[in-house]
Amino acid sequence: MKTVLITGATSGFGWATASSFLLQNHRVIITGRRQERLNAFIQQHKSYQENILSLCFDVRVREEVEKKLYNIPEEWKKIDILINNAGLSRGLTEIQNGEYSDWEEMIDTNIKGLLYVSKVVVNMMIERDIEGHIINVGSTAGHEVYPKGNVYCATKHAVDAITKGMRLDLLAHNIKVSTIDPGMAETEFSIVRFHGDIERAKKVYEGFEPLRPEDIAECILFIANAPKHVNVAQILLLPSAQANTVTVKRKV
Ligand code: NDP
Ligand code: 8X3
């Protein structure tokens, strides 16, 4: 039984991944800003209740991240796997028309938030001599830049660079570092990107079958379950109808 911390488990990939780890009899620490969603997760997994710890915090607020993580009960501090999944996009806009608040939210969440959580958890692993595993959720947007995706793509390129840097730095501590880089998946991602415009968000996935959160969860389980001597360093996961960030075969 491993202890797995999943950021952004209140929705989408994070929820599905936490659920999959629980069903494989691991202990999960689920996080997110929406307390009611954390409660709903526990409610939906009632029979596994003793294997769930929920922490409500905003990854952008460093003091909050440190306070919440350093104060978890001692028996939960032996974290084996960290899944850095919390993230978002805001807006789809030419660079000259971008909103500062959107840029700041993406940079603060996807880059700085990931760093804040990682630093604490990595140190907890090192202090306890745990042969841990960090799995970052990147994106195809970390491989290519698409029109109007400027800052979101930049944050996911940063996640790619941080993943590579972590792999170098943590080698000495026997901590594996991997990334899963999905293409288009239908979650709350586009609703958040378009600030709650559900109709616009739906259109993103019209005419083809996007990835489902469970597809990503399955890959994360595969990465986590690899034998000790194997690091599945990177998975690029696309819907069959997607060739790259801008080329999608849609039924007309
Ligand atoms: P969702 O919007 O469904 O889930 C995002 C999760 O991140 C939520 O649980 C949300 O929780 C959490 N989150 C966002 N901001 C913060 C914050 N400031 N502090 C704490 N938690 C936060 O989207 P996905 O499941 O699709 O996205 C998960 C990850 O996958 C993201 O990093 C995204 O960039 C990436 N991705 C998504 C793809 C897609 O097509 N959907 C493709 C490739 C990568 P809460 O709101 O409760 O805080
Ligand atoms: C999410 C995938 O193509 O919508 O990272 O940016 S995309």
Side-chain angles (χ1 to χ4, degrees), residues 131 176 225-232:
E131 297 192 343
K176 288 198 230 181
N225 287 333
K228 188 177 163 177
H229 69 288
V230 176
N231 180 16
V232 182

Side-chain angles (χ1 to χ4, degrees), residues 160-225:
D160 184 54
I162 292 166
T163 299
K164 288 169 180 156
M166 283 179 166
R167 196 176 297 129
L168 290 167
D169 296 344
L170 300 178
L171 188 64
H173 297 283
N174 300 314
I175 296 172
K176 288 198 230 181
V177 182
S178 308
T179 178
I180 163 114
D181 300 340
M184 296 167 79
E186 192 162 9
T187 59
E188 294 177 10
F189 176 86
S190 289
I191 300 171
V192 172
R193 164 168 260 173
F194 300 130
H195 295 277
D197 185 339
I198 292 175
E199 285 315 306
R200 190 172 173 199
K202 264 192 197 148
K203 286 202 172 69
V204 174
Y205 310 104
E206 260 173 25
F208 77 105
E209 193 173 345
L211 295 171
R212 300 173 194 157
E214 294 70 28
D215 301 322
I216 285 79
E218 199 176 318
C219 284
I220 292 177
L221 263 290
F222 173 72
I223 294 171
N225 287 333

Side-chain angles (χ1 to χ4, degrees), residues 16-33:
T17 303
S19 196
S20 299
F21 274 106
L22 266 184
L23 297 181
Q24 286 208 354
N25 289 315
H26 296 294
R27 301 199 312 168
V28 298
I29 303 174
I30 53 169
T31 85
R33 290 164 301 177

Side-chain angles (χ1 to χ4, degrees), residues 138-141 146 152 156 182-184 189 193 205 242 245:
S139 170
T140 45
Y146 53 84
Y152 176 69
K156 289 299 181 178
M184 296 167 79
F189 176 86
R193 164 168 260 173
Y205 310 104
Q242 182 177 12
T245 52

Side-chain angles (χ1 to χ4, degrees), residues 5 29 31 53-74 77 79 116-117 119-121 124:
L5 191 159
I29 303 174
T31 85
L53 176 71
S54 75
L55 299 177
C56 190
F57 65 85
D58 186 328
V59 296
R60 293 171 297 175
V61 185
R62 183 158 56 82
E63 298 73 22
E64 211 180 309
V65 171
E66 291 176 348
K67 193 171 151 205
K68 289 284 177 177
L69 293 178
Y70 283 131
N71 286 309
I72 58 178
E74 205 50 46
K77 280 192 175 152
I79 297 168
Y116 297 157
V117 173
K119 180 163 177 180
V120 176
V121 176
M124 287 164 91

